[in-house]
Amino acid sequence: MGEIRNVGVVGLGAMGAGIAQLCVEAGVDTVGREVSAELGEKARDQIGHFLTRKVEKGQLEQAARDEAVGRLTLTTELDDFADCDLVIEAIVEELEPKRELFAELDRICGPAAVLATNTSALSVTEIAAATTKPGRVVGMHFFNPAPLMPLVEIVRAELTADAPYETAYAFGERIGKTPIRCHDTPGFVVNRVLIPLLNDCIRVLDESRVTPEDLDTGMKGGAGWPMGPCALVDLVGIDVHVHASEALYEKTREPRMAPPPRLVAMRNAGLLGRKSGRGFYAYD
Ligand code: CAA
């Protein structure tokens, strides 16, 4: 265990595509898996778009951009991960599909491969327990948007062995992230703090009758946030945030973890933020 030559990324939604982008930019051959060829192509187009923007802004050479895009292979088959040294999972945030996937990866991948989950609010230990080798399962929790946010939390589950854990840490550094080490507790480090904080922000909308625009102005101008809480929840996805809040509330029973009714109503109405074109703000 140690050298990572080929990486697999399962799920090329916003997070998976961002993680695949980081890998190919760092010179690592990457296999990306989506459930349909169309979704895979969509992710490749998105990666190509962001890398083209870097070329236009003088941050990347055209040849380096083309080489990076060329390092991404798309597939719909998990069997194509057989030769990967590291597989990073970024599928739907549901325990059972993740456990089923890890059981499959455990069967398909070589014994030395490291299996990582990008889960933000589920237990890495419960995911690892679906495999025959839980020692090689680790959390690699990236932040949205993954290519821009420096942090990756390297999460040690109950049975994670030292070598795969350090391999994941070193890989985080290799792709340009700042890794931090932590254990598998609900929300790990950042979401343990950020999710109840964002929920507080949304409750303040109703309590102090501030507008979303003014709340965002307040937290940017008065607390130094790079982006206001309403804009951030729109970016993360209101469905994703509600789901993560519910998962953390279920585990901790802390009232501040519970999703505010206003966000649940928005989720139920299909106001999901940027991805649906409307959340607290409207998007093109
Ligand atoms: N992928 C790749 N590149 C992207 C991108 C993406 N998703 N989104 C934007 N970019 C690129 C664009 O090309 C953009 O340039 P152009 O607009 O010129 O094309 C470039 O990045 C820079 O974008 P911005 O000028 O908008 O960058 P900024 O300086 O305004 O910073 C930000 C943007 C980094 C998102 C900043 O606003 C920020 O730090 N916001 C806070 C984000 C945050 O807190 N994220 C954590 C969410 S919580 C989470 O993720 C945990 C969880 O488990 C749910």
Side-chain angles (χ1 to χ4, degrees), residues 6 21 36 60 119 212 263:
N6 300 303
Q21 179 182 327
S36 71
L60 189 69
T119 186
L263 281 187

Side-chain angles (χ1 to χ4, degrees), residues 50 53 57 120 141 143-145 147-149 191 227 232 236:
F50 285 125
R53 285 294 298 145
K57 289 189 280 187
S120 55
H141 180 220
F143 291 79
N144 190 354
L148 303 186
M149 298 298 287
N191 276 349
M227 176 177 226
L232 181 54
V236 167

Side-chain angles (χ1 to χ4, degrees), residues 21-141:
Q21 179 182 327
L22 287 164
C23 295
V24 295
E25 274 193 272
V28 183
D29 288 333
T30 304
V31 184
R33 190 256 188 175
E34 254 303 345
V35 289
S36 71
E38 293 72 31
L39 285 173
E41 290 298 340
K42 196 174 152 210
R44 197 199 326 249
D45 288 349
Q46 184 196 316
I47 292 169
H49 163 78
F50 285 125
L51 293 180
T52 298
R53 285 294 298 145
K54 283 184 128 178
V55 173
E56 287 164 356
K57 289 189 280 187
Q59 297 166 351
L60 189 69
E61 296 290 332
Q62 181 68 44
R65 178 236 174 251
D66 296 343
E67 280 168 26
V69 174
R71 281 186 204 107
L72 178 66
T73 311
L74 297 174
T75 185
T76 55
E77 303 298 328
L78 289 178
D79 286 339
D80 289 331
F81 292 129
D83 292 331
C84 289
D85 304 306
L86 167 69
V87 178
I88 305 175
E89 167 274 315
I91 66 166
V92 61
E93 273 288 273
E94 302 280 352
L95 187 59
E96 273 321 305
K98 285 194 197 282
R99 282 174 51 87
E100 281 167 25
L101 174 68
F102 273 73
E104 276 283 282
L105 292 174
D106 190 41
R107 191 179 57 73
I108 292 165
C109 298
V114 177
L115 306 182
T117 172
N118 177 53
T119 186
S120 55
L122 301 175
S123 158
V124 183
T125 304
E126 283 182 65
I127 295 169
T131 71
T132 60
K133 298 183 197 66
R136 54 142 146 196
V137 179
V138 58
M140 289 185 79
H141 180 220

